[in-house]
Amino acid sequence: MEADSQKQDPSELSVETIVSYVESIRGLKVERFDEHLKLCQLVDSKTLNLKVNEIDGVLTREDSDGKSFVQINLNTGYKLLLTESLVGFRPAILDGLDMDKLPTVVTTPDLLGVIEALEDSLTSQAPPEDIEVLKKLFHSVLDGGESIGFDLSDEKSWLKQVNRSGLKASA
């Protein structure tokens, strides 16, 4: 009976793996609460609330350069990757967006890159179809980030700000 009381709950082992990894790197911070973890990316101060009961599995892996990262599988079907400085996630699938041309993993700083590309395209009078692809790409990254728990409400306004800056873009 004593051996059973020393067994750790699988979800507790998953949480320990995540916390241990994040505490060993410099680009992410973690706060532990009873029912969730709060992860913060230092590069852009974006936070992610990860509910412990949504964690289906945690894998420690290495990329092609031998750098370790953690893959978190959620019971919602989503996956996220914790790297030395960012939380990676899949972009959301959107009609009219060729997903084969997108990276399989994106991050919240990618939103800034897409907005900058959109602004450049608008000022250089790029074809309307190119502008529409960039808008869809922006929404794909935004929706993917929100689906894993990022609060990206500030970023949602970026597209509207581009529209108000006198450029003829539509949301």
Side-chain angles (χ1 to χ4, degrees):
M1 193 72 128
E2 192 172 324
D4 285 347
S5 66
Q6 291 181 354
K7 279 187 180 177
Q8 275 192 296
D9 177 359
S11 65
E12 183 61 27
L13 287 172
S14 295
V15 168
E16 288 301 324
T17 300
I18 295 166
V19 170
S20 176
Y21 176 76
V22 173
E23 288 177 345
S24 74
I25 58 175
R26 295 179 185 240
L28 300 175
K29 294 292 178 200
V30 64
E31 288 182 70
R32 187 174 184 174
F33 300 93
D34 287 339
E35 296 180 14
H36 75 279
L37 297 174
K38 181 178 179 182
L39 298 168
C40 180
Q41 297 178 147
L42 299 182
V43 69
D44 63 1
S45 300
K46 284 288 154 203
T47 59
L48 168 74
N49 287 310
L50 182 61
K51 296 177 185 171
V52 172
N53 66 354
E54 289 184 353
I55 298 172
D56 193 37
V58 175
L59 305 168
T60 303
R61 303 179 59 196
E62 284 188 0
D63 65 16
S64 58
D65 295 328
K67 292 186 178 188
S68 67
F69 67 93
V70 170
Q71 176 179 319
I72 303 170
N73 299 327
L74 304 177
N75 59 21
T76 58
Y78 294 108
K79 294 179 184 181
L80 54 129
L81 306 177
L82 304 181
T83 68
E84 290 181 3
S85 58
L86 294 166
V87 176
F89 50 90
R90 290 192 188 276
I93 297 170
L94 294 180
D95 286 338
L97 189 59
D98 186 353
M99 300 306 287
D100 292 334
K101 292 184 180 179
L102 297 183
T104 55
V105 177
V106 294
T107 63
T108 57
D110 290 329
L111 289 166
L112 183 57
V114 175
I115 279 295
E116 289 171 347
L118 181 58
E119 288 173 334
D120 290 346
S121 294
L122 289 167
T123 57
S124 69
Q125 298 179 345
E129 53 274 5
D130 291 354
I131 292 169
E132 287 306 312
V133 167
L134 287 169
K135 288 180 191 178
K136 287 180 182 181
L137 176 58
F138 181 82
H139 284 291
S140 176
V141 175
L142 185 88
D143 294 350
E146 287 185 328
S147 70
I148 62 160
F150 274 112
D151 175 7
L152 299 173
S153 52
D154 290 342
E155 286 75 3
K156 282 182 180 178
S157 68
W158 291 357
L159 202 52
K160 291 176 186 162
Q161 290 171 356
V162 169
N163 293 337
R164 277 187 285 227
S165 68
L167 303 170
K168 298 190 180 194
S170 61

